[in-house]
Amino acid sequence: MLQHHAVLRTELFSHTRGGAPLVDLWWLSEIVTALAGNLLGWGGIVLVAAAVVATCVWLLHRQLLAEGNDLLLSTVLTLLAAAVCATHWLARPHLATQLLVLVFAWQLRRFQRGLMTARKLLILLPVLTALWANLHGAFIFAFVLIGAHLAGTVVSLARANVEHRAVLRRRAMVLAALGVACALASLLNPNGWELPLHILRYMRSPLLMGFAQEYLPPNFRDPGMLPFVLMLVLTLLTLWVTRSRLNATDGLLLLVWIVLSLRMVRNAPLFALVAAPILAEYWSTYLRAAPPSPFLRWYRDVSARLTSVDQMAGASGLPMLATIAMVLILAKPQLFGGPPLIRTELPAGRFPASAVQFLRHSPDAVSGEMFNEYAWGGYLILALPERKVFIHPNLDAYGEKLTRQFLQVNNIRPGWQDVLARYRVGWTILPRDHPLNQVLARRDDWNLVYTDPISSIYGRKQ
């Protein structure tokens, strides 16, 4: 895209779908990442991801303090939310969604609390929606947030007395207009209306949605899910304790995001970012009104001392110094030469680096098209661009039919040989212990071309 100054509109990287129409769900994120990588190498990509993560955590903490919560509670909830998000702190476009969900939720809360005018809301959020639609395909969560606020306002309107109905009615009209404005703004992308339709088609496919682990429900036996479990338990406790005082909008937001996070583990960070300000508000109210107790005295004492230390520190320039240090550390090879201070290259133990070197030095060792390990698709596109892959992890480019054909071969189901013949596959590159390797090793028309502890290459005999 940088070379040709154009957004990708056709699939270029696979021989199975080469030339097929392509809807790029995050082209702008790819541009930003590529520019950082070209300028500073792998460290530049890490730097962009780290900057987005740090901004997200900083904004959440700032929001909790701005809403009148004390420093100790704000810090604890921010750290808990950050721990939930940490499982998805990867240098990928979805970091933009974490940041924009936080900003959207914050501005909608400000409007709900009367701290933002309708005019500013109707300007700011559609602009952010247009940006979001070009950064990452999960911009549809903007409408989840707006919809929850609109539904909560309608519920409150039905319950309200006469003196509050005019305000709530006007708020509902603004939120409805906001939804329309954001929907129109989301069409300001290279694919126009085709982008949301493409996303909806993808989400309606159980096969494609269930293929990646991040689209599956959370595995509560995974120790890494402990922060999410703590946030979930705290949220359910809050819903129970404050059920009579919880306003409809906050209750709907918590319930909707609990359901979304239990449906897909990748939504757990978004749930934490939306829930933290709501939990902070209600626990702040509870702690201020609670009767004296040893725990409460201890809490208030620690909170007062922490606030005093924070005020005395006054380190206004510390974030800038930390940013400069991070840039110098990650950009060292480009700025000062020598090896990097932080390892950022792709780990050779996870990808077939030695096999790629073999193919570069012995290009005639294999012929025909490739059948590859699904998780290696992106690496092979990067490391071996002269060879087209069978599949790569952006499954929305392939659809259900080709994904089923890949699984047919990968799982050695009846007809797998016909699939390989249909796509003129002449060689495979798979993990060494892959079951297909064992089958090919026993066939007379295939032979082992290369093997190492990570991968094996089998080629069809001529």
Side-chain angles (χ1 to χ4, degrees):
M1 288 190 287
L2 291 174
Q3 181 181 353
H4 295 279
H5 305 287
V7 176
L8 286 177
R9 296 188 179 276
T10 57
E11 164 60 27
L12 303 176
F13 306 109
S14 62
H15 62 85
T16 50
R17 289 283 290 168
L22 175 70
V23 176
D24 195 339
L25 301 179
W26 36 70
W27 72 273
L28 187 55
S29 291
E30 292 171 335
I31 292 293
V32 173
T33 304
L35 289 171
N38 290 344
L39 181 63
L40 300 175
W42 289 110
I45 297 174
V46 174
L47 181 62
V48 169
V52 175
V53 166
T55 302
C56 194
V57 176
W58 171 70
L59 280 178
L60 178 60
H61 194 248
R62 182 180 177 186
Q63 177 186 356
L64 299 189
L65 293 175
E67 292 183 356
N69 303 294
D70 67 70
L71 182 60
L72 179 56
L73 180 63
S74 299
T75 302
V76 169
L77 285 174
T78 298
L79 291 176
L80 180 57
V84 178
C85 295
T87 57
H88 289 259
W89 280 348
L90 305 169
R92 292 173 51 191
H94 71 268
L95 290 180
T97 286
Q98 290 189 15
L99 179 59
L100 287 166
V101 160
L102 174 61
V103 173
F104 254 75
W106 187 2
Q107 301 313 308
L108 286 168
R109 273 178 65 81
R110 294 186 68 223
F111 175 69
Q112 178 188 355
R113 295 154 71 103
L115 301 176
M116 171 173 272
T117 65
R119 180 181 179 183
K120 288 183 178 179
L121 190 77
L122 290 170
I123 293 174
L124 176 61
L125 294 196
V127 170
L128 290 179
T129 300
L131 177 64
W132 197 348
N134 291 281
L135 286 170
H136 191 234
F139 67 90
I140 56 173
F141 286 133
F143 304 102
V144 173
L145 291 167
I146 295 170
H149 274 266
L150 177 57
T153 301
V154 171
V155 171
S156 297
L157 177 61
R159 296 176 178 175
N161 52 37
V162 177
E163 60 180 311
H164 292 114
R165 285 182 180 174
V167 174
L168 291 171
R169 190 179 296 111
R170 180 177 180 275
R171 184 186 301 168
M173 293 175 62
V174 170
L175 290 170
L178 177 64
V180 174
C182 288
L184 294 174
S186 71
L187 301 180
L188 299 176
N189 68 81
N191 299 287
W193 57 269
E194 185 63 28
L195 176 62
L197 289 181
H198 181 82
I199 294 170
L200 290 175
R201 285 195 295 266
Y202 181 77
M203 293 177 63
R204 290 174 58 188
S205 169
L207 173 66
L208 300 182
M209 292 296 291
F211 205 90
Q213 186 175 1
E214 63 186 347
Y215 291 125
L216 299 177
N219 177 12
F220 290 106
R221 292 176 292 181
D222 181 0
M225 295 305 298
L226 179 59
F228 171 63
V229 173
L230 293 176
M231 180 69 87
L232 185 61
V233 169
L234 182 60
T235 303
L236 293 174
L237 178 62
T238 304
L239 286 170
W240 173 257
V241 171
T242 65
R243 60 190 182 279
S244 61
R245 295 179 286 112
L246 194 68
N247 69 62
T249 298
D250 288 347
L252 278 173
L253 282 168
L254 292 177
L255 288 174
V256 166
W257 284 100
I258 286 174
V259 171
L260 289 173
S261 63
L262 293 176
R263 173 63 183 86
M264 294 183 196
V265 68
R266 71 176 293 165
N267 293 333
L270 308 182
F271 154 69
L273 295 171
V274 173
I278 301 174
L279 300 182
E281 177 184 355
Y282 285 96
W283 282 105
S284 289
T285 302
Y286 171 79
L287 291 171
R288 288 166 187 159
S293 67
F295 169 77
L296 198 57
R297 284 194 295 270
W298 171 84
Y299 173 85
R300 289 172 177 167
D301 180 59
V302 172
S303 180
R305 282 188 283 146
L306 184 62
T307 302
S308 177
V309 171
D310 181 67
Q311 291 172 347
M312 291 174 60
S316 58
L318 187 58
M320 182 59 67
L321 291 175
T323 301
I324 293 173
M326 185 167 63
V327 171
L328 293 177
I329 289 172
L330 290 171
K332 179 182 180 298
Q334 281 70 24
L335 297 178
F336 308 110
L341 297 177
I342 296 178
R343 292 176 59 87
T344 55
E345 68 274 8
L346 296 176
R350 291 182 55 191
F351 297 99
S354 298
V356 166
Q357 289 297 325
F358 167 79
L359 291 170
R360 285 175 178 165
H361 291 106
S362 305
D364 297 331
V366 295
S367 60
E369 302 292 356
M370 174 199 319
F371 182 85
N372 59 281
E373 164 71 5
Y374 165 78
W376 291 349
Y379 171 78
L380 291 170
I381 291 171
L382 175 70
L384 205 64
E386 64 273 19
R387 307 275 190 172
K388 303 295 184 182
V389 299
F390 188 99
I391 197 169
H392 58 70
N394 288 346
L395 287 180
D396 61 287
Y398 293 100
E400 286 197 358
K401 180 180 178 181
L402 185 57
T403 302
R404 293 186 190 279
Q405 291 175 331
F406 167 77
L407 291 173
Q408 188 176 0
V409 178
N410 196 64
N411 299 334
I412 322 176
R413 295 171 182 167
W416 65 271
Q417 299 174 71
D418 297 333
V419 174
L420 294 183
R422 182 178 300 118
Y423 293 104
R424 301 182 300 280
V425 171
W427 58 285
T428 65
I429 179 167
L430 298 166
R432 184 172 180 174
D433 58 353
H434 195 286
L436 183 58
N437 287 338
Q438 301 173 23
V439 173
L440 296 178
R442 295 193 295 267
R443 294 184 59 89
D444 294 334
D445 53 342
W446 290 80
N447 66 291
L448 179 65
V449 174
Y450 171 87
T451 188
D452 62 44
I454 304 299
S455 61
S456 294
I457 299 175
Y458 277 83
R460 196 186 294 272
K461 292 182 180 178
Q462 301 300 317

